[in-house]
Amino acid sequence: TTGCEKVGIMASCLGTNIVMAYVSKYGVDDIQGICMDGSVVGGAEILSEVICAKFDIAPPALLRVLYDVEGLGMFSVNDFIMETLEMLTQTGILEGVISTTENLLYDKLVAGTTSALALSTFYTWPNYWACVSPEDYESAKYYVFGEEGSEKRVEYAGLIAKLDNYDRNVRQRIPELIQSIKDGGANFGVISKYGFQLIPIVASSDLVSDQFASVKRSSFGATTPSVYNTLSDEYIAQREAEGKGKYISPDKMIDASTCIYPDYTWFVKGSSHSNWNSYELKIMYDVASADKQLTTDDLPYSQFMVYDKDTDTMSPMTTENCQTEYWDADPDVYKPVSFFDKLKVAIKAISVWFPLFIEQVTKDM
């Protein structure tokens, strides 16, 4: 249509699966460059773990996602309700209620129901299956379709054949395919985002993520701690001794050196999975259309950036501007170890909540 010999491809979310499938089938002879933002090629925990029944509702994660949606302006939660949830979480009451409910009802209501729902909703779409991680794929097929020879396996044989084809030709070959992009002479770039709570219904809810996928997956291999920690001083010292200190983010949450292509991978904190701001689009365009491979040193952006949605600005990350989360993940508060630590946290939470409760009651009288 354009008369150009090659195209530049900008892909986000489910589009990254389509691009990787194209590369697997056709190669990159007609492609100038590919840049991915919010990739789910390596899997997206919110889809991958749900479809193979790795459910886990963690109260602190539930709180964090509520703070996220409020911070993003999606909706607002009453302050008293939030403080009540905080109190119930920090005292362990909410966790007890959830675990008791799971123990009583999971096998009766959840197991099997979700697999049936999967086939009446979007898990008849192959691209959602493409978001299942390599380690979850066989478990997901078993959970949704049953064992070999089952009625569902027969009924959905055509769909399963498509899923297996993608698994064989794309999912199992992801590192090889990414390498083939560069070997074929095309530019390559990745933008991975974080600073948001993974939707809190999966076992991996404490991973550093963009709400839908962990940074490890969307960046093709970055090393991160959980949201409760930072990379240790010992770990960072070791990386610095190896000459890889520049790949550690100022907030000590990301080690980019373990990515497949660390010099072609950008990280944006404060930008959620579903947000593709103009700065990210510019990086994608520049990488995909350039006449040479661009690195994190070639663009007017550092490898680690901070996006401020209120002012729609993006700045190099520093130790001063890197705390963008809408929530706190203090392990002393949300993961106390000893009985006395738990008791101390519970007493403090109740002392904060009780005056608000009295105020709420008297206000309604």
Side-chain angles (χ1 to χ4, degrees):
T1 298
T2 64
C4 295
E5 293 182 0
K6 294 189 175 185
V7 298
I9 298 178
M10 301 159 61
S12 57
C13 193
L14 294 173
T16 62
N17 297 329
I18 296 171
V19 170
M20 200 60 75
Y22 179 93
V23 170
S24 172
K25 189 167 184 178
Y26 299 109
V28 294
D29 289 346
D30 299 324
I31 298 174
Q32 180 72 15
I34 296 170
C35 194
M36 299 182 175
D37 190 352
S39 168
V40 290
V41 170
E45 283 83 0
I46 186 57
L47 296 172
S48 184
E49 295 190 12
V50 166
I51 203 60
C52 60
K54 290 183 181 178
F55 296 107
D56 183 30
I57 301 175
L62 179 60
L63 275 174
R64 289 194 293 270
V65 82
L66 288 175
Y67 285 123
D68 274 344
V69 297
E70 186 168 41
L72 289 170
M74 297 169 68
F75 63 81
S76 181
V77 182
N78 177 277
D79 289 343
F80 176 69
I81 293 175
M82 287 301 298
E83 286 299 334
T84 300
L85 290 173
E86 283 277 9
M87 183 273 293
L88 293 174
T89 298
Q90 294 177 32
T91 57
I93 295 173
L94 189 56
E95 183 176 2
V97 170
I98 290 174
S99 66
T100 300
T101 304
E102 286 179 341
N103 291 335
L104 292 175
L105 300 178
Y106 180 85
D107 288 338
K108 296 178 181 178
L109 296 181
V110 178
T113 301
T114 50
S115 64
L117 285 173
L119 291 175
S120 63
T121 54
F122 50 76
Y123 272 96
T124 51
W125 300 358
N127 206 358
Y128 278 94
W129 278 92
C131 299
V132 176
S133 66
E135 60 267 32
D136 286 341
Y137 180 59
E138 289 301 326
S139 296
K141 279 204 306 179
Y142 179 82
Y143 183 69
V144 174
F145 300 112
E147 58 188 17
E148 291 290 346
S150 69
E151 185 177 329
K152 282 186 180 178
R153 292 263 182 169
V154 173
E155 181 181 356
Y156 290 96
L159 173 60
I160 293 171
K162 291 181 180 180
L163 306 183
D164 286 344
N165 178 63
Y166 181 89
D167 179 61
R168 181 172 57 253
N169 291 299
V170 183
R171 182 184 285 109
Q172 294 181 26
R173 299 175 58 214
I174 290 170
E176 172 193 344
L177 291 173
I178 293 175
Q179 183 67 46
S180 75
I181 295 172
K182 288 302 301 155
D183 291 346
N187 302 330
F188 185 68
V190 175
I191 299 174
S192 178
K193 303 185 279 195
Y194 70 108
F196 294 88
Q197 170 63 50
L198 197 67
I199 302 300
I201 58 173
V202 294
S204 299
S205 63
D206 64 348
L207 295 178
V208 176
S209 79
D210 64 5
Q211 288 185 309
F212 285 75
S214 66
V215 164
K216 180 177 181 179
R217 296 197 187 279
S218 65
S219 66
F220 299 101
T223 298
T224 71
S226 74
V227 296
Y228 292 105
N229 305 104
T230 57
L231 297 170
S232 70
D233 292 340
E234 293 78 12
Y235 180 93
I236 294 173
Q238 178 62 37
R239 285 304 186 199
E240 290 174 341
E242 296 169 354
K244 298 178 179 179
K246 71 173 186 176
Y247 295 113
I248 303 295
S249 62
D251 63 356
K252 299 182 180 181
M253 298 297 288
I254 309 289
D255 175 10
S257 71
T258 54
C259 297
I260 291 180
Y261 286 120
D263 293 319
Y264 314 149
T265 307
W266 287 260
F267 297 85
V268 181
K269 190 172 188 181
S271 183
S272 65
H273 180 86
S274 301
N275 174 72
W276 302 290
N277 60 63
S278 60
Y279 305 96
E280 294 168 28
L281 293 173
K282 184 66 165 60
I283 293 174
M284 295 172 75
Y285 177 85
D286 287 345
V287 170
S289 64
D291 57 7
K292 67 172 185 176
Q293 174 65 58
L294 299 180
T295 72
T296 54
D297 294 327
D298 292 324
L299 297 177
Y301 307 98
S302 66
Q303 179 158 44
F304 302 102
M305 305 293 295
V306 171
Y307 176 68
D308 185 333
K309 80 169 185 67
D310 293 328
T311 59
D312 187 28
T313 55
M314 196 160 80
S315 310
M317 184 185 295
T318 66
T319 54
E320 287 74 32
N321 70 0
C322 64
Q323 302 304 318
T324 67
E325 293 90 348
Y326 296 109
W327 33 262
D328 181 19
D330 184 351
D332 293 335
V333 173
Y334 296 103
K335 296 184 72 175
V337 178
S338 71
F339 170 77
F340 290 105
D341 287 339
K342 292 178 181 179
L343 183 60
K344 182 170 64 175
V345 168
I347 291 173
K348 184 175 180 180
I350 292 172
S351 67
V352 171
W353 172 81
F354 190 70
L356 294 174
F357 171 71
I358 296 299
E359 179 183 334
Q360 192 75 17
V361 170
T362 55
K363 182 176 68 174
D364 294 338
M365 290 177 65

